[in-house]
Amino acid sequence: MKISDMIEEYIRDIIADEESVELSRSELANRFNCVPSQINYVISTRFIPELGFSVESRRGGGGYIRINKIDLSKSMYLSKIIEKIGRKMSQSVVDIYLKEFVRYNVITSREADLIKIAVSDKSLNQVDTSKRDFVRADIFKHLIINLV
């Protein structure tokens, strides 16, 4: 398991039964033996409004990260995701979104597996590499919209 995944899992375990949690960036970095920027990366990519979170942050010695859950309806959630995706997306970003969709019961794990295959570099090998992320984003958006 990657360190980013371990950090995410740890934070999700903490916030599971809470509406809001306050964490210390430096304490998390010490706990996972990583640099604080690794914590920032996890927070900025995996605890975003489109995935049902808002984050407040204050840097410095007494700094903190406050993560709040946002109650989003399924359609609002998906429309925000579609807006956020933009014109292109990498395979790693697809993987993050699919993981979240399954976690929040937007799609099944089987559907996620099929989408992952459909937008993989292997499936898009006939598409010029400079255009793959654009094609991947289009296919991903259409699949999600039509599944839900």
Side-chain angles (χ1 to χ4, degrees), residues 62-128:
Y64 64 86
I65 301 167
R66 182 176 299 127
I67 302 173
N68 305 298
K69 288 183 185 174
I70 300 171
D71 185 23
L72 297 174
S73 71
K74 199 175 197 181
S75 62
M76 179 183 262
Y77 172 77
L78 285 174
S79 67
K80 287 187 174 283
I81 293 292
I82 299 301
E83 289 173 22
K84 173 84 172 162
I85 290 170
R87 295 183 51 221
K88 65 180 190 171
M89 46 185 330
S90 67
Q91 182 63 55
S92 60
V93 171
V94 167
D95 293 345
I96 290 169
Y97 280 118
L98 290 175
K99 183 177 172 185
E100 293 302 311
F101 290 165
V102 171
R103 175 177 279 135
Y104 290 105
N105 297 314
V106 175
I107 61 174
T108 66
S109 58
R110 173 84 173 130
E111 291 166 336
D113 290 342
L114 292 171
I115 291 170
K116 186 174 182 173
I117 291 166
V119 299
S120 70
D121 283 337
K122 188 173 182 178
S123 293
L124 300 174
N125 69 350
Q126 296 297 313
V127 177
D128 182 73

